[in-house]
Amino acid sequence: MQDFIARVIDAWNTQDAQKVIECYAPEGEYKDPFTRGPIKGRQALKAYLEKVFCAWEMRWEVLEIFPHASGDGATIISKGRYKKSGDEKERTFQKVEIAILENGLIARNEIFFDARLLS
């Protein structure tokens, strides 16, 4: 589980939408405080991430991993450093996410953080 999560975080830290969606199942779901509901499927997620990566520069660091007893995923606490593209001021915040896996890929990923921190 730790190796998989490290691979996912590395993909997010490249800010390459294609690399990120390769960690997700073809019909996987992603949700964060800005998505207004789940994003379903790799192509929809890629479109969303391309917009996010154009607007924000982000780096993630895993703080804690809590594998699910069922073995199908984990709850992860991580710290993000971010700034708006072209801005010098960097900020940090923490998030909690639930990742459910199927066949070695993320089938469901739900992210929780205080969206006011990004305003």
Side-chain angles (χ1 to χ4, degrees):
M1 185 64 67
Q2 288 182 327
D3 290 342
F4 177 75
I5 292 169
R7 184 168 64 93
V8 173
I9 293 296
D10 287 345
W12 276 88
N13 284 339
T14 68
Q15 292 207 221
D16 180 327
Q18 183 63 40
K19 287 183 181 182
V20 174
I21 68 166
E22 290 171 2
C23 299
Y24 287 77
E27 298 302 317
E29 291 187 11
Y30 173 87
K31 182 179 177 185
D32 72 31
F34 293 112
T35 61
R36 297 186 180 120
I39 294 174
K40 297 181 182 183
R42 283 181 171 172
Q43 293 311 310
L45 179 56
K46 184 177 182 181
Y48 173 72
L49 292 176
E50 287 172 345
K51 290 177 187 175
V52 170
F53 294 157
C54 282
W56 298 95
E57 297 174 28
M58 294 179 268
R59 298 282 303 163
W60 297 101
E61 172 190 351
V62 173
L63 300 176
E64 294 184 75
I65 300 171
F66 301 94
H68 298 166
S70 62
D72 71 346
T75 299
I76 302 115
I77 299 173
S78 57
K79 180 169 100 175
R81 294 188 327 266
Y82 70 98
K83 62 182 178 176
K84 289 184 179 181
S85 292
D87 193 355
E88 294 299 317
K89 184 179 179 183
E90 186 175 84
R91 300 176 184 129
T92 62
F93 73 102
Q94 288 187 9
K95 68 176 181 166
V96 174
E97 68 183 279
I98 299 168
I100 305 298
L101 307 181
E102 287 179 6
N103 300 319
L105 296 170
I106 300 170
R108 181 173 157 235
N109 192 199
E110 192 158 351
I111 316 294
F112 303 91
F113 61 85
D114 185 347
R116 295 174 295 179
L117 298 173
L118 296 180
S119 59

